[in-house]
Amino acid sequence: MAILGFVFLVFVILVVIGSYQQDKELREKQKTENQEIDEILELISEPMDNNTKQIIIGRHPSENNNGKAPDISDKSVGPLEEVENTADNDSVYYTHMEPAAFCFVDNYTVIDIETEGFNFKQDKIVELSAVRVRDNKVVDHFQVFNKDSKVTDFLLDNSPLTQTVIDDQGIEIKEMLKQFLDFLGDDDMVGHNIGFDLNFIRYNLHYYDLGDLRNYYIDTMLIGKYFAQPNWHHHKVDNYISRYPEKFGGDNLEQHTAINDVMIEKRIYDLQRETLGEDWTGMADASMLWSLPKHRIQLTEDGLKEVKLNRMKDKADRLQNEKKYADAGDAFTELFYENKGDVFSDKEIKWIYKSAINNYEKAKDPESMIMAIQQYEDAFGYFMTQADHNWVNRRKEKLGIE
């Protein structure tokens, strides 16, 4: 009995020691993570060097370049063409290349989009709308739907948009983008959290080889957050509607249709102009970088590669859906070789290769299937899990090979 008691005591001590060690490791990990976060916060809160890190905003574009209007008619060069594009994680890229401005102008175009979701690389644009403003008055409007998009549950619950409208009035997205560019021309763009819209528009312009969108833009969300209404906790469109019902609610503009949202956003712009004054200009600092578009004007080599691979993946998926299995197998195999580990994760690459093998199996093409299996094993080898091995072995058995 004494021996059992002693063994139990030793067991309890070991559990306590193990628990203490685990807690200590967690505390050390949390401490390291907190230090990293503090370093990041300290970095972005540092004053910006005027020569390299000050965003070229705070005055109308025509006042840049010592009072001489910059020549932006050539869309192949950026607003500061002498500054080369840099790596994706380099904040200097933002500060030199983004044509942002904090000011009030009389002639501009307000833009807004509705989307299937928040991921500009995966979700489609549902609606793209704009209004042209001249001398502070709306003179024309633009509204187009993407026929290949789906109205999500969120839009069904929060807007009058329906799938019937999309199916009846929608056009090809490439044509949609072309029409938008024609309507926009060289106008400055105004929008609320416009970086979100620009992510989708730029990505799709690059995807369909339609060039860059280099127009100057003004973000009313940032003007509100940092200048016009800095004491508010939130600066969503809803906050403006609830605080100023006489300005936004009189004609019952329903949110979450882009054509209504652009009218609401114009009123936010007008309100901020009243608050700050006609001649107001603002300056940005590093704390605002979070709001700028994540999809750049000039894509880096890696960015171009990513767009190319996503286009190839779409092609492979489409061929598979059309049950053109032999062509789909070839497309997935080509996608694997083009990737070379640059864009897709190992998990995604495995899925791509398994898709190739499955399509060759459905196409009844055993030779291509055997070749794809061999390439799959050569590519992953030691990193294949037992589930991977079992999946491959079942297909080998069907082919009668070991």
Side-chain angles (χ1 to χ4, degrees):
M1 195 70 178
I3 294 174
L4 287 176
F6 176 75
V7 170
F8 178 75
L9 178 61
V10 171
F11 174 76
V12 170
I13 292 172
L14 290 174
V15 169
V16 170
I17 292 173
S19 177
Y20 172 79
Q21 185 64 30
Q22 187 177 22
D23 288 344
K24 181 179 178 182
E25 291 173 357
L26 287 173
R27 287 195 300 271
E28 290 296 326
K29 181 181 179 182
Q30 186 65 51
K31 181 179 178 182
T32 302
E33 291 176 350
N34 288 339
Q35 287 174 341
E36 291 175 353
I37 292 171
D38 289 341
E39 288 172 2
I40 293 171
L41 292 174
E42 182 179 356
L43 176 65
I44 66 173
S45 64
E46 290 178 353
M48 304 180 78
D49 176 53
N50 288 336
N51 293 323
T52 58
K53 290 191 177 181
Q54 181 170 296
I55 300 177
I56 310 303
I57 63 178
R59 52 198 183 280
H60 187 270
S62 64
E63 296 176 8
N64 290 332
N65 198 22
N66 297 322
K68 181 181 178 182
D71 179 13
I72 57 171
S73 58
D74 180 3
K75 299 299 182 184
S76 65
V77 295
L80 293 179
E81 56 190 277
E82 71 275 8
V83 180
E84 294 182 359
N85 189 17
T86 55
D88 279 349
N89 62 350
D90 189 348
S91 64
V92 175
Y93 172 91
Y94 287 116
T95 61
H96 285 88
M97 298 305 298
E98 282 298 337
F102 281 9
C103 56
F104 298 117
V105 295
D106 295 332
N107 302 320
Y108 56 91
T109 294
V110 188
I111 71 168
D112 192 80
I113 63 174
E114 296 298 335
T115 64
E116 293 179 336
F118 299 109
N119 189 327
F120 62 86
K121 297 178 183 179
Q122 297 178 4
D123 299 315
K124 293 182 175 67
I125 297 174
V126 176
E127 178 189 1
L128 201 164
S129 294
V131 292
R132 182 181 293 130
V133 179
R134 293 293 180 266
D135 294 326
N136 297 323
K137 297 179 180 178
V138 175
V139 297
D140 201 359
H141 71 276
F142 173 88
Q143 181 184 34
V144 182
F145 301 102
N146 175 11
K147 77 178 190 68
D148 295 320
S149 65
K150 301 296 181 186
V151 176
T152 59
D153 291 340
F154 172 80
L155 289 175
L156 287 174
D157 292 339
N158 294 277
S159 85
L161 281 177
T162 65
Q163 193 62 47
T164 301
V165 171
I166 305 301
D167 295 340
D168 291 346
Q169 301 181 31
I171 62 175
E172 295 280 353
I173 187 169
K174 189 171 184 178
E175 180 60 28
M176 173 187 186
L177 293 167
K178 287 180 179 179
Q179 290 184 19
F180 169 72
L181 292 177
D182 288 342
F183 181 86
L184 178 64
D186 291 328
D187 270 12
D188 299 338
M189 297 179 292
V190 171
H192 200 76
N193 192 21
I194 197 171
F196 175 86
D197 305 75
L198 292 178
N199 280 333
F200 279 85
I201 294 172
R202 285 178 178 175
Y203 181 81
N204 281 278
L205 287 174
H206 290 144
Y207 187 95
Y208 292 102
D209 296 322
L210 294 175
D212 282 322
L213 183 62
R214 297 178 176 278
N215 300 53
Y216 285 92
Y217 63 84
I218 301 165
D219 191 341
T220 54
M221 182 186 67
L222 287 185
I223 293 177
K225 181 176 178 64
Y226 293 99
F227 301 101
Q229 293 85 27
N231 296 323
W232 293 9
H233 292 295
H234 301 288
H235 296 80
K236 297 178 181 179
V237 172
D238 289 340
N239 300 117
Y240 284 90
I241 293 174
S242 62
R243 287 175 179 263
Y244 296 94
E246 73 283 359
K247 290 183 179 294
F248 298 99
D251 46 6
N252 297 316
L253 287 175
E254 191 168 2
Q255 280 188 266
H256 303 302
T257 68
I259 194 62
N260 284 351
D261 286 347
V262 289
M263 293 303 302
I264 295 172
E265 289 164 24
K266 181 193 179 298
R267 295 177 187 182
I268 294 175
Y269 190 59
D270 292 340
L271 171 67
Q272 292 174 344
R273 185 197 294 260
E274 292 174 13
T275 303
L276 295 171
E278 294 277 343
D279 299 327
W280 171 85
T281 58
M283 297 302 294
D285 59 35
S287 65
M288 301 179 189
L289 292 179
W290 61 272
S291 68
L292 297 181
K294 303 302 181 291
H295 195 75
R296 313 299 170 74
I297 297 173
Q298 289 181 321
L299 285 171
T300 62
E301 184 176 343
D302 288 342
L304 289 168
K305 177 110 178 173
E306 183 175 347
V307 169
K308 177 183 177 182
L309 289 172
N310 278 313
R311 190 180 295 132
M312 291 175 65
K313 181 178 179 297
D314 287 348
K315 176 185 176 182
D317 287 337
R318 185 180 70 253
L319 290 169
Q320 180 174 266
N321 292 335
E322 293 173 354
K323 298 184 179 180
K324 297 177 180 178
Y325 297 121
D327 292 337
D330 291 343
F332 279 113
T333 301
E334 182 184 4
L335 181 60
F336 172 83
Y337 278 114
E338 283 289 332
N339 176 68
K340 298 183 177 66
D342 293 334
V343 174
F344 299 118
S345 66
D346 284 349
K347 183 177 180 180
E348 289 172 317
I349 296 170
K350 284 183 178 181
W351 174 84
I352 289 168
Y353 235 114
K354 287 181 179 180
S355 296
I357 295 168
N358 282 335
N359 276 285
Y360 286 137
E361 183 177 13
K362 292 178 180 178
K364 295 181 171 51
D365 184 352
E367 291 183 3
S368 295
M369 189 176 172
I370 291 170
M371 180 180 67
I373 289 174
Q374 183 61 54
Q375 291 167 340
Y376 176 68
E377 291 180 313
D378 290 344
F380 290 99
Y382 176 78
F383 298 100
M384 288 176 63
T385 65
Q386 188 58 50
D388 293 332
H389 284 294
N390 293 340
W391 187 89
V392 168
N393 289 335
R394 286 195 296 271
R395 274 139 192 87
K396 284 184 176 181
E397 288 175 5
K398 291 182 181 179
L399 293 169
I401 58 176
E402 296 182 358

